[in-house]
Short mmCIF file of all heavy atoms in Angstrom, two decimals:
data_model
loop_
_atom_site.label_atom_id
_atom_site.label_comp_id
_atom_site.label_asym_id
_atom_site.label_seq_id
_atom_site.Cartn_x
_atom_site.Cartn_y
_atom_site.Cartn_z
N ILE F 240 -68.65 -35.36 -3.78
CA ILE F 240 -68.64 -34.81 -2.47
C ILE F 240 -67.51 -35.56 -1.72
O ILE F 240 -66.84 -34.87 -0.90
CB ILE F 240 -70.02 -35.08 -1.76
CG1 ILE F 240 -71.09 -34.21 -2.41
CG2 ILE F 240 -69.93 -34.83 -0.23
CD1 ILE F 240 -72.42 -34.42 -1.93
N GLN F 241 -67.33 -36.80 -1.89
CA GLN F 241 -66.28 -37.58 -1.14
C GLN F 241 -64.92 -37.00 -1.39
O GLN F 241 -64.08 -36.73 -0.47
CB GLN F 241 -66.31 -38.98 -1.42
CG GLN F 241 -65.33 -39.85 -0.79
CD GLN F 241 -65.37 -41.25 -0.94
OE1 GLN F 241 -66.28 -41.83 -1.56
NE2 GLN F 241 -64.28 -42.08 -0.74
N GLU F 242 -64.55 -36.67 -2.66
CA GLU F 242 -63.25 -36.25 -2.94
C GLU F 242 -63.08 -34.82 -2.41
O GLU F 242 -61.99 -34.53 -1.87
CB GLU F 242 -63.12 -36.11 -4.57
CG GLU F 242 -63.08 -37.45 -5.24
CD GLU F 242 -64.40 -38.13 -5.43
OE1 GLU F 242 -65.40 -37.44 -5.22
OE2 GLU F 242 -64.38 -39.26 -5.89
N ARG F 243 -64.16 -33.92 -2.40
CA ARG F 243 -63.99 -32.64 -1.83
C ARG F 243 -63.82 -32.69 -0.32
O ARG F 243 -62.98 -32.02 0.17
CB ARG F 243 -65.24 -31.75 -2.26
CG ARG F 243 -65.04 -30.27 -1.74
CD ARG F 243 -66.26 -29.51 -2.05
NE ARG F 243 -67.44 -29.96 -1.30
CZ ARG F 243 -68.68 -30.00 -1.77
NH1 ARG F 243 -68.93 -29.57 -2.96
NH2 ARG F 243 -69.68 -30.40 -0.99
N LEU F 244 -64.52 -33.50 0.30
CA LEU F 244 -64.36 -33.79 1.77
C LEU F 244 -62.99 -34.20 2.12
O LEU F 244 -62.37 -33.69 3.08
CB LEU F 244 -65.45 -34.77 2.19
CG LEU F 244 -65.32 -35.16 3.81
CD1 LEU F 244 -65.70 -33.90 4.65
CD2 LEU F 244 -66.32 -36.30 4.06
N THR F 245 -62.50 -35.21 1.37
CA THR F 245 -61.10 -35.70 1.62
C THR F 245 -60.13 -34.55 1.54
O THR F 245 -59.18 -34.43 2.35
CB THR F 245 -60.75 -36.83 0.71
OG1 THR F 245 -61.82 -37.81 0.78
CG2 THR F 245 -59.47 -37.49 0.97
N SER F 246 -60.26 -33.81 0.38
CA SER F 246 -59.33 -32.67 0.28
C SER F 246 -59.42 -31.67 1.33
O SER F 246 -58.36 -30.98 1.78
CB SER F 246 -59.51 -32.13 -1.17
OG SER F 246 -58.71 -31.03 -1.37
N GLU F 247 -60.70 -31.20 1.67
CA GLU F 247 -60.84 -30.20 2.72
C GLU F 247 -60.30 -30.69 4.08
O GLU F 247 -59.75 -29.94 4.85
CB GLU F 247 -62.32 -29.88 2.81
CG GLU F 247 -62.79 -29.09 1.65
CD GLU F 247 -64.30 -28.72 1.73
OE1 GLU F 247 -64.88 -29.12 2.77
OE2 GLU F 247 -64.80 -28.20 0.79
N LEU F 248 -60.49 -31.96 4.34
CA LEU F 248 -59.92 -32.54 5.60
C LEU F 248 -58.42 -32.48 5.64
O LEU F 248 -57.76 -32.10 6.65
CB LEU F 248 -60.35 -33.99 5.82
CG LEU F 248 -59.94 -34.72 7.04
CD1 LEU F 248 -60.39 -34.03 8.33
CD2 LEU F 248 -60.43 -36.11 7.12
N ALA F 249 -57.75 -32.81 4.57
CA ALA F 249 -56.23 -32.69 4.38
C ALA F 249 -55.80 -31.26 4.51
O ALA F 249 -54.92 -31.07 5.27
CB ALA F 249 -55.84 -33.27 3.02
N ASP F 250 -56.58 -30.34 3.93
CA ASP F 250 -56.13 -29.01 4.10
C ASP F 250 -56.30 -28.49 5.55
O ASP F 250 -55.43 -27.79 6.03
CB ASP F 250 -57.07 -28.08 3.26
CG ASP F 250 -56.79 -28.18 1.72
OD1 ASP F 250 -55.65 -28.77 1.35
OD2 ASP F 250 -57.62 -27.86 0.89
N ALA F 251 -57.34 -28.91 6.27
CA ALA F 251 -57.56 -28.54 7.62
C ALA F 251 -56.52 -29.09 8.56
O ALA F 251 -56.07 -28.39 9.40
CB ALA F 251 -59.01 -29.08 8.11
N VAL F 252 -56.21 -30.33 8.37
CA VAL F 252 -55.10 -31.01 9.17
C VAL F 252 -53.74 -30.25 8.93
O VAL F 252 -53.05 -29.99 9.86
CB VAL F 252 -54.97 -32.49 8.97
CG1 VAL F 252 -53.77 -33.04 9.68
CG2 VAL F 252 -56.24 -33.17 9.39
N ASP F 253 -53.50 -30.00 7.72
CA ASP F 253 -52.29 -29.30 7.36
C ASP F 253 -52.16 -27.87 7.95
O ASP F 253 -51.10 -27.50 8.50
CB ASP F 253 -52.12 -29.26 5.81
CG ASP F 253 -50.72 -28.92 5.35
OD1 ASP F 253 -49.72 -29.25 6.04
OD2 ASP F 253 -50.68 -28.20 4.33
N GLN F 254 -53.30 -27.27 7.84
CA GLN F 254 -53.41 -25.86 8.48
C GLN F 254 -53.25 -26.01 10.02
O GLN F 254 -52.61 -25.14 10.58
CB GLN F 254 -54.57 -25.25 8.01
CG GLN F 254 -54.62 -23.78 8.49
CD GLN F 254 -55.93 -23.08 7.99
OE1 GLN F 254 -56.95 -23.76 7.53
NE2 GLN F 254 -56.06 -21.79 8.14
N ALA F 255 -53.92 -26.88 10.61
CA ALA F 255 -53.81 -26.99 12.09
C ALA F 255 -52.45 -27.31 12.55
O ALA F 255 -52.12 -26.94 13.64
CB ALA F 255 -54.86 -28.09 12.57
N ALA F 256 -51.67 -28.10 11.69
CA ALA F 256 -50.31 -28.39 12.12
C ALA F 256 -49.39 -27.13 11.92
O ALA F 256 -48.18 -27.28 12.21
CB ALA F 256 -49.82 -29.61 11.32
N SER F 257 -49.83 -26.17 11.32
CA SER F 257 -49.09 -24.90 11.02
C SER F 257 -47.86 -25.17 10.35
O SER F 257 -46.74 -24.62 10.70
CB SER F 257 -48.84 -24.20 12.38
OG SER F 257 -49.95 -23.90 13.09
N GLY F 258 -47.84 -25.94 9.36
CA GLY F 258 -46.69 -26.33 8.45
C GLY F 258 -45.61 -27.20 9.20
O GLY F 258 -44.54 -27.32 8.67
N GLY F 259 -46.04 -27.82 10.30
CA GLY F 259 -45.14 -28.71 11.04
C GLY F 259 -45.04 -30.06 10.44
O GLY F 259 -44.23 -30.92 10.90
N LEU F 260 -45.76 -30.35 9.39
CA LEU F 260 -45.74 -31.69 8.82
C LEU F 260 -44.92 -31.72 7.53
O LEU F 260 -45.08 -30.75 6.77
CB LEU F 260 -47.15 -32.18 8.50
CG LEU F 260 -48.19 -32.25 9.71
CD1 LEU F 260 -49.57 -32.59 9.09
CD2 LEU F 260 -47.71 -33.34 10.63
N SER F 261 -44.18 -32.71 7.34
CA SER F 261 -43.46 -32.77 6.12
C SER F 261 -44.33 -33.49 4.96
O SER F 261 -44.17 -33.21 3.90
CB SER F 261 -42.13 -33.61 6.26
OG SER F 261 -42.35 -34.91 6.71
N GLY F 262 -45.19 -34.30 5.55
CA GLY F 262 -46.10 -34.90 4.46
C GLY F 262 -47.35 -35.39 5.23
O GLY F 262 -47.36 -35.58 6.41
N LEU F 263 -48.47 -35.48 4.45
CA LEU F 263 -49.78 -35.79 4.97
C LEU F 263 -50.56 -36.64 3.90
O LEU F 263 -50.53 -36.24 2.76
CB LEU F 263 -50.55 -34.55 5.29
CG LEU F 263 -52.00 -34.64 5.71
CD1 LEU F 263 -52.18 -35.37 7.04
CD2 LEU F 263 -52.64 -33.31 5.74
N LEU F 264 -51.15 -37.68 4.33
CA LEU F 264 -51.93 -38.51 3.38
C LEU F 264 -53.21 -38.86 4.14
O LEU F 264 -53.24 -39.46 5.11
CB LEU F 264 -51.26 -39.76 3.04
CG LEU F 264 -51.88 -40.68 1.89
CD1 LEU F 264 -52.12 -39.94 0.59
CD2 LEU F 264 -51.05 -41.92 1.79
N VAL F 265 -54.34 -38.35 3.56
CA VAL F 265 -55.73 -38.63 4.07
C VAL F 265 -56.41 -39.63 3.19
O VAL F 265 -56.47 -39.39 1.92
CB VAL F 265 -56.53 -37.31 4.24
CG1 VAL F 265 -57.96 -37.66 4.68
CG2 VAL F 265 -55.96 -36.42 5.25
N VAL F 266 -56.98 -40.73 3.72
CA VAL F 266 -57.61 -41.70 2.95
C VAL F 266 -59.02 -41.77 3.43
O VAL F 266 -59.30 -42.01 4.66
CB VAL F 266 -56.96 -43.12 3.09
CG1 VAL F 266 -57.76 -44.14 2.20
CG2 VAL F 266 -55.51 -42.95 2.54
N CYS F 267 -60.01 -41.73 2.58
CA CYS F 267 -61.42 -41.80 2.92
C CYS F 267 -62.04 -42.95 2.20
O CYS F 267 -61.96 -42.98 0.97
CB CYS F 267 -62.10 -40.47 2.58
SG CYS F 267 -63.89 -40.44 2.97
N ASP F 268 -62.64 -43.91 2.96
CA ASP F 268 -63.34 -45.03 2.48
C ASP F 268 -64.77 -44.94 2.72
O ASP F 268 -65.20 -44.90 3.86
CB ASP F 268 -62.75 -46.33 2.95
CG ASP F 268 -63.40 -47.65 2.37
OD1 ASP F 268 -64.18 -47.48 1.46
OD2 ASP F 268 -62.95 -48.60 2.90
N ALA F 269 -65.67 -44.80 1.74
CA ALA F 269 -67.11 -44.53 1.99
C ALA F 269 -67.94 -45.44 1.15
O ALA F 269 -67.65 -45.86 0.03
CB ALA F 269 -67.46 -43.04 1.69
N ALA F 270 -69.09 -45.77 1.64
CA ALA F 270 -70.13 -46.55 0.93
C ALA F 270 -71.12 -45.57 0.43
O ALA F 270 -71.69 -44.68 1.12
CB ALA F 270 -70.80 -47.55 1.86
N HIS F 271 -71.29 -45.56 -0.85
CA HIS F 271 -72.28 -44.65 -1.51
C HIS F 271 -73.65 -45.28 -1.58
O HIS F 271 -73.76 -46.42 -2.15
CB HIS F 271 -71.72 -44.28 -2.87
CG HIS F 271 -70.55 -43.44 -2.78
ND1 HIS F 271 -70.51 -42.12 -2.97
CD2 HIS F 271 -69.14 -43.82 -2.59
CE1 HIS F 271 -69.24 -41.64 -2.76
NE2 HIS F 271 -68.52 -42.74 -2.58
N MET F 272 -74.65 -44.65 -0.97
CA MET F 272 -75.96 -45.19 -0.96
C MET F 272 -76.61 -45.39 -2.36
O MET F 272 -77.45 -46.14 -2.57
CB MET F 272 -76.89 -44.34 -0.14
CG MET F 272 -76.35 -44.29 1.33
SD MET F 272 -76.16 -45.95 2.12
CE MET F 272 -77.79 -46.52 1.99
N CYS F 273 -76.17 -44.55 -3.35
CA CYS F 273 -76.74 -44.78 -4.66
C CYS F 273 -76.38 -46.09 -5.21
O CYS F 273 -77.13 -46.76 -5.90
CB CYS F 273 -76.30 -43.62 -5.58
SG CYS F 273 -74.47 -43.53 -5.92
N MET F 274 -75.11 -46.53 -4.96
CA MET F 274 -74.75 -47.94 -5.38
C MET F 274 -75.44 -48.97 -4.67
O MET F 274 -75.80 -49.98 -5.21
CB MET F 274 -73.26 -48.09 -5.13
CG MET F 274 -72.34 -47.13 -6.07
SD MET F 274 -70.61 -47.30 -5.71
CE MET F 274 -70.26 -48.99 -6.09
N VAL F 275 -75.64 -48.73 -3.32
CA VAL F 275 -76.32 -49.77 -2.48
C VAL F 275 -77.77 -49.87 -2.95
O VAL F 275 -78.30 -50.93 -3.09
CB VAL F 275 -76.32 -49.40 -0.97
CG1 VAL F 275 -77.16 -50.26 -0.18
CG2 VAL F 275 -74.83 -49.36 -0.54
N ALA F 276 -78.40 -48.73 -3.19
CA ALA F 276 -79.88 -48.71 -3.68
C ALA F 276 -80.03 -49.36 -4.96
O ALA F 276 -81.03 -49.91 -5.21
CB ALA F 276 -80.44 -47.30 -3.72
N ARG F 277 -79.05 -49.27 -5.91
CA ARG F 277 -79.17 -49.90 -7.14
C ARG F 277 -78.93 -51.35 -7.18
O ARG F 277 -79.06 -52.02 -8.25
CB ARG F 277 -78.30 -49.18 -8.14
CG ARG F 277 -78.74 -47.76 -8.58
CD ARG F 277 -77.78 -47.19 -9.67
NE ARG F 277 -76.38 -47.30 -9.16
CZ ARG F 277 -75.44 -46.89 -9.86
NH1 ARG F 277 -75.53 -46.32 -11.11
NH2 ARG F 277 -74.19 -46.98 -9.40
N GLY F 278 -78.46 -51.85 -6.09
CA GLY F 278 -78.17 -53.33 -5.94
C GLY F 278 -76.86 -53.66 -6.68
O GLY F 278 -76.76 -54.82 -7.14
N VAL F 279 -75.86 -52.88 -6.58
CA VAL F 279 -74.57 -53.23 -7.12
C VAL F 279 -74.10 -54.50 -6.33
O VAL F 279 -74.31 -54.55 -5.13
CB VAL F 279 -73.59 -52.11 -6.92
CG1 VAL F 279 -72.15 -52.45 -7.31
CG2 VAL F 279 -74.01 -50.84 -7.70
N GLU F 280 -73.48 -55.42 -7.10
CA GLU F 280 -73.15 -56.76 -6.49
C GLU F 280 -72.46 -56.63 -5.21
O GLU F 280 -72.76 -57.34 -4.22
CB GLU F 280 -72.37 -57.58 -7.50
CG GLU F 280 -73.29 -58.27 -8.55
CD GLU F 280 -72.47 -59.16 -9.41
OE1 GLU F 280 -71.47 -59.73 -8.96
OE2 GLU F 280 -72.87 -59.25 -10.63
N LYS F 281 -71.42 -55.87 -5.11
CA LYS F 281 -70.61 -55.72 -3.88
C LYS F 281 -71.11 -54.45 -3.18
O LYS F 281 -70.44 -53.46 -3.07
CB LYS F 281 -69.13 -55.64 -4.26
CG LYS F 281 -68.54 -56.89 -4.71
CD LYS F 281 -67.03 -56.80 -4.80
CE LYS F 281 -66.30 -58.08 -5.08
NZ LYS F 281 -64.90 -57.97 -5.02
N ALA F 282 -72.31 -54.45 -2.67
CA ALA F 282 -72.84 -53.26 -1.97
C ALA F 282 -72.06 -52.95 -0.76
O ALA F 282 -72.09 -51.76 -0.31
CB ALA F 282 -74.32 -53.63 -1.62
N ALA F 283 -71.34 -53.81 -0.09
CA ALA F 283 -70.70 -53.51 1.08
C ALA F 283 -69.29 -52.88 0.76
O ALA F 283 -68.60 -52.50 1.64
CB ALA F 283 -70.43 -54.79 1.92
N SER F 284 -68.94 -52.92 -0.47
CA SER F 284 -67.60 -52.33 -0.81
C SER F 284 -67.68 -50.80 -0.82
O SER F 284 -68.73 -50.23 -0.89
CB SER F 284 -67.18 -52.81 -2.25
OG SER F 284 -68.08 -52.35 -3.23
N GLY F 285 -66.49 -50.18 -0.60
CA GLY F 285 -66.42 -48.72 -0.60
C GLY F 285 -65.71 -48.15 -1.70
O GLY F 285 -65.10 -48.93 -2.55
N THR F 286 -65.77 -46.86 -1.72
CA THR F 286 -64.99 -46.03 -2.79
C THR F 286 -63.81 -45.30 -2.04
O THR F 286 -64.19 -44.57 -1.08
CB THR F 286 -65.88 -45.19 -3.55
OG1 THR F 286 -66.97 -45.94 -4.05
CG2 THR F 286 -65.23 -44.40 -4.53
N LEU F 287 -62.61 -45.51 -2.38
CA LEU F 287 -61.56 -44.86 -1.77
C LEU F 287 -61.19 -43.59 -2.55
O LEU F 287 -61.22 -43.48 -3.76
CB LEU F 287 -60.31 -45.78 -1.88
CG LEU F 287 -60.14 -46.88 -0.88
CD1 LEU F 287 -58.80 -47.67 -1.20
CD2 LEU F 287 -60.11 -46.36 0.50
N SER F 288 -60.93 -42.52 -1.73
CA SER F 288 -60.35 -41.28 -2.28
C SER F 288 -59.28 -40.83 -1.32
O SER F 288 -59.28 -41.26 -0.10
CB SER F 288 -61.38 -40.20 -2.34
OG SER F 288 -61.95 -39.83 -1.14
N TYR F 289 -58.29 -40.24 -1.86
CA TYR F 289 -57.17 -39.76 -1.04
C TYR F 289 -56.67 -38.43 -1.43
O TYR F 289 -56.98 -37.95 -2.52
CB TYR F 289 -55.98 -40.75 -1.10
CG TYR F 289 -55.21 -40.70 -2.40
CD1 TYR F 289 -54.03 -39.90 -2.41
CD2 TYR F 289 -55.51 -41.52 -3.44
CE1 TYR F 289 -53.29 -39.89 -3.63
CE2 TYR F 289 -54.78 -41.41 -4.63
CZ TYR F 289 -53.71 -40.61 -4.61
OH TYR F 289 -52.95 -40.53 -5.84
N ALA F 290 -56.13 -37.73 -0.42
CA ALA F 290 -55.49 -36.40 -0.74
C ALA F 290 -54.11 -36.41 -0.03
O ALA F 290 -54.00 -36.65 1.07
CB ALA F 290 -56.35 -35.28 -0.15
N ALA F 291 -53.11 -35.99 -0.77
CA ALA F 291 -51.81 -35.85 -0.33
C ALA F 291 -51.26 -34.47 -0.25
O ALA F 291 -51.76 -33.68 -1.05
CB ALA F 291 -50.83 -36.74 -1.17
N ARG F 292 -50.48 -34.13 0.73
CA ARG F 292 -49.91 -32.84 0.92
C ARG F 292 -48.43 -33.02 1.28
O ARG F 292 -47.93 -34.07 1.65
CB ARG F 292 -50.57 -32.07 2.03
CG ARG F 292 -52.09 -31.82 1.82
CD ARG F 292 -52.42 -30.86 0.80
NE ARG F 292 -53.83 -30.72 0.61
CZ ARG F 292 -54.65 -31.34 -0.21
NH1 ARG F 292 -54.17 -32.41 -0.94
NH2 ARG F 292 -55.91 -30.97 -0.26
N GLY F 293 -47.79 -31.95 0.95
CA GLY F 293 -46.29 -31.89 1.33
C GLY F 293 -45.45 -32.90 0.47
O GLY F 293 -45.69 -33.11 -0.81
N CYS F 294 -44.45 -33.62 1.12
CA CYS F 294 -43.66 -34.52 0.37
C CYS F 294 -44.43 -35.64 -0.29
O CYS F 294 -43.98 -36.17 -1.28
CB CYS F 294 -42.54 -35.00 1.26
SG CYS F 294 -43.07 -36.02 2.66
N LEU F 295 -45.51 -36.10 0.34
CA LEU F 295 -46.37 -37.22 -0.19
C LEU F 295 -47.04 -36.74 -1.51
O LEU F 295 -47.45 -37.54 -2.33
CB LEU F 295 -47.27 -37.66 0.82
CG LEU F 295 -46.55 -38.52 1.94
CD1 LEU F 295 -47.55 -38.71 3.04
CD2 LEU F 295 -46.04 -39.78 1.37
N GLN F 296 -47.29 -35.48 -1.62
CA GLN F 296 -47.95 -34.96 -2.88
C GLN F 296 -46.88 -34.83 -4.00
O GLN F 296 -47.26 -35.10 -5.09
CB GLN F 296 -48.52 -33.57 -2.58
CG GLN F 296 -49.35 -32.98 -3.79
CD GLN F 296 -50.04 -31.75 -3.33
OE1 GLN F 296 -49.58 -31.04 -2.45
NE2 GLN F 296 -51.05 -31.33 -4.14
N GLN F 297 -45.62 -34.46 -3.55
CA GLN F 297 -44.66 -34.19 -4.63
C GLN F 297 -43.96 -35.51 -5.02
O GLN F 297 -43.42 -35.56 -6.19
CB GLN F 297 -43.65 -33.23 -4.07
CG GLN F 297 -44.24 -31.91 -3.73
CD GLN F 297 -43.45 -30.96 -2.89
OE1 GLN F 297 -42.44 -31.39 -2.43
NE2 GLN F 297 -43.91 -29.83 -2.58
N ASP F 298 -43.79 -36.52 -4.24
CA ASP F 298 -42.97 -37.66 -4.47
C ASP F 298 -43.92 -38.89 -4.63
O ASP F 298 -44.37 -39.52 -3.65
CB ASP F 298 -42.03 -37.84 -3.24
CG ASP F 298 -41.02 -38.93 -3.51
OD1 ASP F 298 -41.11 -39.79 -4.45
OD2 ASP F 298 -39.99 -39.05 -2.75
N ALA F 299 -44.10 -39.27 -5.86
CA ALA F 299 -44.95 -40.28 -6.21
C ALA F 299 -44.52 -41.73 -5.63
O ALA F 299 -45.25 -42.52 -5.16
CB ALA F 299 -45.19 -40.51 -7.68
N ALA F 300 -43.15 -41.92 -5.59
CA ALA F 300 -42.59 -43.15 -5.09
C ALA F 300 -42.88 -43.23 -3.65
O ALA F 300 -43.28 -44.34 -3.14
CB ALA F 300 -41.16 -43.21 -5.44
N LEU F 301 -42.74 -42.20 -2.91
CA LEU F 301 -42.97 -42.15 -1.51
C LEU F 301 -44.44 -42.44 -1.23
O LEU F 301 -44.81 -43.23 -0.27
CB LEU F 301 -42.53 -40.87 -0.83
CG LEU F 301 -42.76 -40.74 0.66
CD1 LEU F 301 -42.04 -41.85 1.45
CD2 LEU F 301 -42.31 -39.34 1.09
N ARG F 302 -45.36 -41.86 -1.96
CA ARG F 302 -46.79 -42.05 -1.87
C ARG F 302 -47.11 -43.55 -2.13
O ARG F 302 -47.94 -44.17 -1.37
CB ARG F 302 -47.53 -41.08 -2.82
CG ARG F 302 -49.01 -41.06 -2.64
CD ARG F 302 -49.67 -39.95 -3.44
NE ARG F 302 -49.38 -39.94 -4.77
CZ ARG F 302 -48.62 -39.08 -5.46
NH1 ARG F 302 -48.05 -38.06 -4.83
NH2 ARG F 302 -48.35 -39.11 -6.72
N VAL F 303 -46.56 -44.14 -3.11
CA VAL F 303 -46.86 -45.51 -3.51
C VAL F 303 -46.40 -46.40 -2.31
O VAL F 303 -47.05 -47.35 -2.12
CB VAL F 303 -46.18 -45.91 -4.84
CG1 VAL F 303 -46.19 -47.31 -5.06
CG2 VAL F 303 -46.85 -45.18 -5.96
N THR F 304 -45.36 -46.04 -1.70
CA THR F 304 -44.82 -46.90 -0.51
C THR F 304 -45.70 -46.78 0.72
O THR F 304 -45.95 -47.69 1.46
CB THR F 304 -43.38 -46.51 -0.23
OG1 THR F 304 -42.50 -46.61 -1.41
CG2 THR F 304 -42.87 -47.32 0.91
N THR F 305 -46.19 -45.57 0.93
CA THR F 305 -46.96 -45.21 2.15
C THR F 305 -48.41 -45.67 1.98
O THR F 305 -48.88 -46.16 3.03
CB THR F 305 -46.94 -43.67 2.37
OG1 THR F 305 -45.52 -43.31 2.44
CG2 THR F 305 -47.57 -43.33 3.60
N PHE F 306 -48.99 -45.52 0.95
CA PHE F 306 -50.44 -45.83 0.75
C PHE F 306 -50.86 -47.23 1.20
O PHE F 306 -51.78 -47.32 1.92
CB PHE F 306 -50.85 -45.61 -0.76
CG PHE F 306 -52.33 -45.53 -0.91
CD1 PHE F 306 -52.99 -44.48 -0.65
CD2 PHE F 306 -53.01 -46.68 -1.52
CE1 PHE F 306 -54.40 -44.34 -0.84
CE2 PHE F 306 -54.34 -46.62 -1.70
CZ PHE F 306 -55.07 -45.47 -1.37
N PRO F 307 -50.14 -48.29 0.92
CA PRO F 307 -50.62 -49.68 1.36
C PRO F 307 -50.52 -49.81 2.87
O PRO F 307 -51.22 -50.68 3.44
CB PRO F 307 -49.55 -50.59 0.67
CG PRO F 307 -49.00 -49.82 -0.49
CD PRO F 307 -49.08 -48.42 -0.10
N LEU F 308 -49.78 -48.97 3.52
CA LEU F 308 -49.66 -49.14 5.01
C LEU F 308 -51.01 -48.64 5.65
O LEU F 308 -51.31 -48.98 6.73
CB LEU F 308 -48.52 -48.21 5.53
CG LEU F 308 -47.11 -48.70 5.07
CD1 LEU F 308 -46.05 -47.74 5.56
CD2 LEU F 308 -46.83 -50.03 5.49
N LEU F 309 -51.70 -47.75 4.93
CA LEU F 309 -52.94 -47.15 5.51
C LEU F 309 -54.21 -47.90 5.07
O LEU F 309 -55.23 -47.80 5.61
CB LEU F 309 -53.12 -45.71 5.03
CG LEU F 309 -51.86 -44.76 5.40
CD1 LEU F 309 -52.04 -43.40 4.75
CD2 LEU F 309 -51.79 -44.72 6.92
N VAL F 310 -54.19 -48.59 3.94
CA VAL F 310 -55.39 -49.25 3.37
C VAL F 310 -55.45 -50.61 3.82
O VAL F 310 -54.59 -51.43 3.98
CB VAL F 310 -55.40 -49.01 1.86
CG1 VAL F 310 -56.66 -49.65 1.29
CG2 VAL F 310 -55.29 -47.63 1.49
#
């Protein structure tokens, strides 16, 4: 669900911008209750998912440079 939500959010922002963005990177950090309920040691830790569009989707080097600025 998290991956789909992240992708749908990226699509919605890209569509709302009407193609005015050269690149878009959406990062979602979520705590999954199934992990918390099972007592995983780092229950407060989250799971990251991201969706890239435009130049950030096509250029891996640019994505690698940009990603740490957001996380």
Side-chain angles (χ1 to χ4, degrees):
I240 292 174
Q241 179 180 345
E242 291 82 6
R243 187 179 67 215
L244 175 66
T245 305
S246 181
E247 289 177 2
L248 181 58
D250 290 339
V252 171
D253 193 34
Q254 184 178 13
S257 302
L260 301 175
S261 60
L263 171 69
L264 185 61
V265 173
V266 179
C267 182
D268 184 4
H271 292 261
M272 295 310 294
C273 61
M274 292 175 66
V275 174
R277 288 186 305 182
V279 174
E280 282 187 29
K281 289 188 171 184
S284 66
T286 302
L287 281 178
S288 62
Y289 74 92
R292 300 292 182 267
C294 64
L295 288 167
Q296 184 176 21
Q297 299 164 358
D298 187 345
L301 181 58
R302 191 171 50 250
V303 168
T304 303
T305 306
F306 193 77
L308 300 172
L309 301 175
V310 181

